[in-house]
Each structure stands twice: as structure tokens, then as C-alpha cells.
Amino acid sequence: KIEIHSQSAGDRRRNLKSAFIKIGDDVFPFKGLGLFIVVVDACSGNVISRRYFDTVSAYHGDTEMINNYIRNRIKERSVVLVCSSHIGNLTNNGGSSFMKLGSAKPIEFFRKGSFAMLGYKGQVTPSWIKIINRAAGQKVASLQQYVPLELSEYKCTKKSKEIGKDVKLLKYLYN
């Protein structure tokens, strides 16, 4: 089960709970400003990447870093979870790279709004892809979804499934 909870600028001012991404029992809190992306291997279920992008400061508001990360660093067969906390100076031309994750059109981010996305990078477009994009003053972007892993349409290799089982077994043994 996946849970994504974002924050708007107003939520931060009112000291409401932080933004976070939750995968099963694992919680990844996000206390920064900008976008937080967690990437999960769709075949093994392992978290393979976590990345924060500052979209508030003038320098880091440049969307080229986000575009490059989505296009070149996220591998095929990846479940991609995105939450936000106070979207700042993110220019809208950065929203086009989210089409690689299942968005039907470029994302137009709302300054000081909130954004949550459950996407997939791969050859198929799963039905569970969700995007919530809210302007400042609206209800915060938040979503919950069960995401199936190891589906045949993901074209998982036997090796990736076995590695996922080994990692889960090791986590079980050490906990």
C-alpha cells in the first residue's frame, strides 16, 4: 500500500504535519521545500532511489535538474512516488517530463500549492497512476493506493524477482 501526503505553503505556516511518502510500513518524511521523489522497482518492491529537489530558491527552481532525473536516472519498470512541500519557483516547462511517468499532459504546478503523484516509468501505462495537483488554499494533495508488483506487463526478469525476495528475507532476519 502506498500513501503520499503533500503540504502547501499555508500548511507549513500553520505548522501542520510534514509531507511524507509511505510504502507499506516504511515512512519517508519530507521536511524540505520542493519536490520529493521516491523510486521503487516494480518487480522487486525495493526502494531504489530517493531524491529531493529544492523548488523554492531561485537557483534550484530550475526544472532542468528534475527533467534530467526523470528522463535519465529513473529506470524502466519503476514505480515513482512524488510529494511536495511548498512548490515555489518551479517553472511549468518542467511538467512535461512527468508525461514519462504517466501524466496525460504536462503538469502545470501551482505556486505555493501541493502536488502528489503515483506514476510509472515503463512501456505500459498502468490503471493505478494518479495525479493530484492543488492550488494554494485548496485541500492538500494526498492519495492512497494499492500498487501491484511483479505484473507480467512490467516484463520483470526472474533475476529481479529473486533479488527482491532475498532483500526482503534479509530485512526480516535482521529485524
Side-chain angles (χ1 to χ4, degrees):
K1 181 178 176 185
I2 301 290
E3 186 175 345
I4 301 170
H5 182 80
S6 294
Q7 274 190 319
S8 67
D11 295 327
R12 288 186 68 87
R13 282 194 303 275
R14 291 188 297 275
N15 291 324
L16 298 179
K17 57 183 171 174
S18 69
F20 64 88
I21 293 175
K22 183 176 181 183
I23 304 167
D25 293 330
D26 297 326
V27 178
F28 302 92
F30 177 47
K31 298 183 191 284
L33 300 175
L35 292 179
F36 181 47
I37 301 176
V38 176
V39 180
V40 176
D41 182 282
C43 297
S44 69
N46 296 327
V47 173
I48 53 177
S49 174
R50 291 180 285 184
R51 182 79 191 265
Y52 154 66
F53 295 95
D54 178 351
T55 62
V56 176
S57 69
Y59 174 76
H60 292 292
D62 181 14
T63 57
E64 197 52 41
M65 289 185 294
I66 297 170
N67 290 336
N68 183 51
Y69 180 73
I70 291 172
R71 289 188 187 122
N72 302 316
R73 306 291 288 176
I74 298 176
K75 297 186 183 326
E76 294 281 312
R77 293 188 295 272
S78 293
V79 176
V80 182
L81 309 136
V82 185
C83 75
S84 71
S85 183
H86 186 327
I87 297 173
N89 300 324
L90 189 60
T91 57
N92 288 333
N93 67 352
S96 64
S97 61
F98 287 86
M99 293 175 66
K100 296 228 177 257
L101 306 178
S103 175
K105 60 183 182 177
I107 303 293
E108 293 186 27
F109 295 99
F110 294 103
R111 188 169 188 274
K112 297 185 179 182
S114 63
F115 177 77
M117 179 177 190
L118 171 58
Y120 178 79
K121 185 172 183 185
Q123 299 301 314
V124 297
T125 305
S127 61
W128 46 256
I129 290 175
K130 293 189 185 233
I131 300 168
I132 300 174
N133 192 18
R134 302 255 166 87
Q138 292 184 336
K139 183 180 173 185
V140 70
S142 182
L143 60 89
Q144 293 182 15
Q145 179 73 32
Y146 287 97
V147 177
L149 300 175
E150 299 180 26
L151 293 180
S152 60
E153 54 261 32
Y154 301 160
K155 298 187 170 127
C156 298
T157 63
K158 186 175 179 176
K159 182 180 177 185
S160 65
K161 291 179 188 177
E162 289 173 1
I163 290 171
K165 289 177 185 174
D166 291 344
V167 169
K168 288 177 185 170
L169 178 61
L170 284 172
K171 283 183 181 178
Y172 173 77
L173 292 173
Y174 283 107
N175 288 332

PDB file of all heavy atoms in Angstrom, residues 120-136:
ATOM      1  N   TYR A 120       4.437   5.708 -13.117  1.00  0.00           N
ATOM      2  CA  TYR A 120       5.171   4.517 -13.539  1.00  0.00           C
ATOM      3  C   TYR A 120       5.985   4.875 -14.771  1.00  0.00           C
ATOM      4  O   TYR A 120       5.464   5.484 -15.717  1.00  0.00           O
ATOM      5  CB  TYR A 120       4.193   3.385 -13.880  1.00  0.00           C
ATOM      6  CG  TYR A 120       4.882   2.138 -14.371  1.00  0.00           C
ATOM      7  CD1 TYR A 120       5.484   1.257 -13.482  1.00  0.00           C
ATOM      8  CD2 TYR A 120       4.938   1.840 -15.726  1.00  0.00           C
ATOM      9  CE1 TYR A 120       6.127   0.111 -13.925  1.00  0.00           C
ATOM     10  CE2 TYR A 120       5.577   0.696 -16.178  1.00  0.00           C
ATOM     11  CZ  TYR A 120       6.172  -0.157 -15.279  1.00  0.00           C
ATOM     12  OH  TYR A 120       6.812  -1.285 -15.722  1.00  0.00           O
ATOM     13  N   LYS A 121       7.258   4.495 -14.762  1.00  0.00           N
ATOM     14  CA  LYS A 121       8.088   4.683 -15.945  1.00  0.00           C
ATOM     15  C   LYS A 121       8.326   3.317 -16.561  1.00  0.00           C
ATOM     16  O   LYS A 121       8.932   2.444 -15.945  1.00  0.00           O
ATOM     17  CB  LYS A 121       9.422   5.344 -15.603  1.00  0.00           C
ATOM     18  CG  LYS A 121      10.233   5.657 -16.860  1.00  0.00           C
ATOM     19  CD  LYS A 121      11.449   6.486 -16.556  1.00  0.00           C
ATOM     20  CE  LYS A 121      12.181   6.826 -17.849  1.00  0.00           C
ATOM     21  NZ  LYS A 121      13.429   7.538 -17.572  1.00  0.00           N
ATOM     22  N   GLY A 122       7.807   3.139 -17.757  1.00  0.00           N
ATOM     23  CA  GLY A 122       7.937   1.863 -18.436  1.00  0.00           C
ATOM     24  C   GLY A 122       7.152   1.869 -19.732  1.00  0.00           C
ATOM     25  O   GLY A 122       6.635   2.897 -20.167  1.00  0.00           O
ATOM     26  N   GLN A 123       7.040   0.702 -20.328  1.00  0.00           N
ATOM     27  CA  GLN A 123       6.397   0.563 -21.640  1.00  0.00           C
ATOM     28  C   GLN A 123       4.875   0.538 -21.562  1.00  0.00           C
ATOM     29  O   GLN A 123       4.214   0.672 -22.578  1.00  0.00           O
ATOM     30  CB  GLN A 123       6.903  -0.706 -22.331  1.00  0.00           C
ATOM     31  CG  GLN A 123       8.403  -0.704 -22.579  1.00  0.00           C
ATOM     32  CD  GLN A 123       8.846   0.462 -23.442  1.00  0.00           C
ATOM     33  OE1 GLN A 123       8.237   0.760 -24.465  1.00  0.00           O
ATOM     34  NE2 GLN A 123       9.888   1.143 -23.009  1.00  0.00           N
ATOM     35  N   VAL A 124       4.316   0.339 -20.375  1.00  0.00           N
ATOM     36  CA  VAL A 124       2.864   0.298 -20.208  1.00  0.00           C
ATOM     37  C   VAL A 124       2.414   1.491 -19.368  1.00  0.00           C
ATOM     38  O   VAL A 124       3.221   2.141 -18.708  1.00  0.00           O
ATOM     39  CB  VAL A 124       2.414  -1.023 -19.532  1.00  0.00           C
ATOM     40  CG1 VAL A 124       2.743  -2.217 -20.405  1.00  0.00           C
ATOM     41  CG2 VAL A 124       3.025  -1.182 -18.161  1.00  0.00           C
ATOM     42  N   THR A 125       1.120   1.751 -19.396  1.00  0.00           N
ATOM     43  CA  THR A 125       0.537   2.791 -18.556  1.00  0.00           C
ATOM     44  C   THR A 125      -0.484   2.127 -17.640  1.00  0.00           C
ATOM     45  O   THR A 125      -1.635   1.921 -18.036  1.00  0.00           O
ATOM     46  CB  THR A 125      -0.138   3.882 -19.423  1.00  0.00           C
ATOM     47  OG1 THR A 125       0.814   4.389 -20.353  1.00  0.00           O
ATOM     48  CG2 THR A 125      -0.659   5.018 -18.568  1.00  0.00           C
ATOM     49  N   PRO A 126      -0.058   1.758 -16.430  1.00  0.00           N
ATOM     50  CA  PRO A 126      -0.969   1.064 -15.511  1.00  0.00           C
ATOM     51  C   PRO A 126      -2.177   1.920 -15.131  1.00  0.00           C
ATOM     52  O   PRO A 126      -2.103   3.155 -15.104  1.00  0.00           O
ATOM     53  CB  PRO A 126      -0.101   0.798 -14.279  1.00  0.00           C
ATOM     54  CG  PRO A 126       1.300   0.927 -14.747  1.00  0.00           C
ATOM     55  CD  PRO A 126       1.273   1.915 -15.869  1.00  0.00           C
ATOM     56  N   SER A 127      -3.276   1.255 -14.821  1.00  0.00           N
ATOM     57  CA  SER A 127      -4.516   1.957 -14.466  1.00  0.00           C
ATOM     58  C   SER A 127      -4.423   2.650 -13.107  1.00  0.00           C
ATOM     59  O   SER A 127      -5.229   3.525 -12.802  1.00  0.00           O
ATOM     60  CB  SER A 127      -5.689   0.974 -14.464  1.00  0.00           C
ATOM     61  OG  SER A 127      -5.458  -0.040 -13.503  1.00  0.00           O
ATOM     62  N   TRP A 128      -3.449   2.273 -12.276  1.00  0.00           N
ATOM     63  CA  TRP A 128      -3.350   2.830 -10.929  1.00  0.00           C
ATOM     64  C   TRP A 128      -2.623   4.179 -10.871  1.00  0.00           C
ATOM     65  O   TRP A 128      -2.490   4.767  -9.808  1.00  0.00           O
ATOM     66  CB  TRP A 128      -2.710   1.846  -9.964  1.00  0.00           C
ATOM     67  CG  TRP A 128      -1.469   1.155 -10.436  1.00  0.00           C
ATOM     68  CD1 TRP A 128      -1.373  -0.135 -10.875  1.00  0.00           C
ATOM     69  CD2 TRP A 128      -0.143   1.694 -10.502  1.00  0.00           C
ATOM     70  NE1 TRP A 128      -0.072  -0.427 -11.219  1.00  0.00           N
ATOM     71  CE2 TRP A 128       0.704   0.680 -11.000  1.00  0.00           C
ATOM     72  CE3 TRP A 128       0.419   2.935 -10.202  1.00  0.00           C
ATOM     73  CZ2 TRP A 128       2.069   0.866 -11.193  1.00  0.00           C
ATOM     74  CZ3 TRP A 128       1.777   3.121 -10.400  1.00  0.00           C
ATOM     75  CH2 TRP A 128       2.576   2.094 -10.895  1.00  0.00           C
ATOM     76  N   ILE A 129      -2.147   4.702 -11.977  1.00  0.00           N
ATOM     77  CA  ILE A 129      -1.462   6.008 -11.977  1.00  0.00           C
ATOM     78  C   ILE A 129      -2.440   7.084 -11.498  1.00  0.00           C
ATOM     79  O   ILE A 129      -3.586   7.132 -11.943  1.00  0.00           O
ATOM     80  CB  ILE A 129      -0.916   6.342 -13.376  1.00  0.00           C
ATOM     81  CG1 ILE A 129       0.256   5.416 -13.695  1.00  0.00           C
ATOM     82  CG2 ILE A 129      -0.500   7.816 -13.473  1.00  0.00           C
ATOM     83  CD1 ILE A 129       0.810   5.566 -15.095  1.00  0.00           C
ATOM     84  N   LYS A 130      -1.959   7.934 -10.575  1.00  0.00           N
ATOM     85  CA  LYS A 130      -2.802   9.011 -10.035  1.00  0.00           C
ATOM     86  C   LYS A 130      -1.991  10.287  -9.901  1.00  0.00           C
ATOM     87  O   LYS A 130      -0.816  10.250  -9.544  1.00  0.00           O
ATOM     88  CB  LYS A 130      -3.355   8.639  -8.665  1.00  0.00           C
ATOM     89  CG  LYS A 130      -4.324   7.502  -8.705  1.00  0.00           C
ATOM     90  CD  LYS A 130      -4.994   7.334  -7.366  1.00  0.00           C
ATOM     91  CE  LYS A 130      -5.837   6.106  -7.452  1.00  0.00           C
ATOM     92  NZ  LYS A 130      -7.146   6.184  -7.121  1.00  0.00           N
ATOM     93  N   ILE A 131      -2.657  11.415 -10.144  1.00  0.00           N
ATOM     94  CA  ILE A 131      -2.033  12.729 -10.003  1.00  0.00           C
ATOM     95  C   ILE A 131      -3.033  13.655  -9.323  1.00  0.00           C
ATOM     96  O   ILE A 131      -4.189  13.741  -9.746  1.00  0.00           O
ATOM     97  CB  ILE A 131      -1.635  13.318 -11.368  1.00  0.00           C
ATOM     98  CG1 ILE A 131      -0.638  12.405 -12.070  1.00  0.00           C
ATOM     99  CG2 ILE A 131      -1.068  14.725 -11.203  1.00  0.00           C
ATOM    100  CD1 ILE A 131      -0.407  12.739 -13.520  1.00  0.00           C
ATOM    101  N   ILE A 132      -2.573  14.321  -8.264  1.00  0.00           N
ATOM    102  CA  ILE A 132      -3.392  15.333  -7.601  1.00  0.00           C
ATOM    103  C   ILE A 132      -2.555  16.602  -7.545  1.00  0.00           C
ATOM    104  O   ILE A 132      -1.447  16.604  -7.008  1.00  0.00           O
ATOM    105  CB  ILE A 132      -3.816  14.887  -6.188  1.00  0.00           C
ATOM    106  CG1 ILE A 132      -4.642  13.596  -6.282  1.00  0.00           C
ATOM    107  CG2 ILE A 132      -4.608  16.000  -5.496  1.00  0.00           C
ATOM    108  CD1 ILE A 132      -4.984  12.984  -4.959  1.00  0.00           C
ATOM    109  N   ASN A 133      -3.081  17.668  -8.104  1.00  0.00           N
ATOM    110  CA  ASN A 133      -2.372  18.942  -8.210  1.00  0.00           C
ATOM    111  C   ASN A 133      -3.317  20.037  -7.714  1.00  0.00           C
ATOM    112  O   ASN A 133      -4.337  20.293  -8.347  1.00  0.00           O
ATOM    113  CB  ASN A 133      -1.972  19.168  -9.671  1.00  0.00           C
ATOM    114  CG  ASN A 133      -1.004  20.301  -9.852  1.00  0.00           C
ATOM    115  OD1 ASN A 133      -0.357  20.737  -8.915  1.00  0.00           O
ATOM    116  ND2 ASN A 133      -0.904  20.785 -11.077  1.00  0.00           N
ATOM    117  N   ARG A 134      -2.987  20.648  -6.596  1.00  0.00           N
ATOM    118  CA  ARG A 134      -3.894  21.616  -5.977  1.00  0.00           C
ATOM    119  C   ARG A 134      -3.249  22.990  -5.835  1.00  0.00           C
ATOM    120  O   ARG A 134      -2.058  23.097  -5.519  1.00  0.00           O
ATOM    121  CB  ARG A 134      -4.308  21.115  -4.597  1.00  0.00           C
ATOM    122  CG  ARG A 134      -4.983  19.758  -4.624  1.00  0.00           C
ATOM    123  CD  ARG A 134      -6.470  19.888  -4.415  1.00  0.00           C
ATOM    124  NE  ARG A 134      -7.220  18.695  -4.742  1.00  0.00           N
ATOM    125  CZ  ARG A 134      -7.453  17.685  -3.925  1.00  0.00           C
ATOM    126  NH1 ARG A 134      -6.945  17.693  -2.714  1.00  0.00           N
ATOM    127  NH2 ARG A 134      -8.190  16.670  -4.324  1.00  0.00           N
ATOM    128  N   ALA A 135      -4.046  24.014  -6.022  1.00  0.00           N
ATOM    129  CA  ALA A 135      -3.595  25.393  -5.843  1.00  0.00           C
ATOM    130  C   ALA A 135      -3.527  25.725  -4.356  1.00  0.00           C
ATOM    131  O   ALA A 135      -4.121  25.036  -3.521  1.00  0.00           O
ATOM    132  CB  ALA A 135      -4.556  26.352  -6.549  1.00  0.00           C
ATOM    133  N   ALA A 136      -2.802  26.786  -4.029  1.00  0.00           N
ATOM    134  CA  ALA A 136      -2.727  27.257  -2.648  1.00  0.00           C
ATOM    135  C   ALA A 136      -4.135  27.562  -2.158  1.00  0.00           C
ATOM    136  O   ALA A 136      -4.969  28.070  -2.900  1.00  0.00           O
ATOM    137  CB  ALA A 136      -1.848  28.501  -2.566  1.00  0.00           C
TER     138      ALA A 136
END
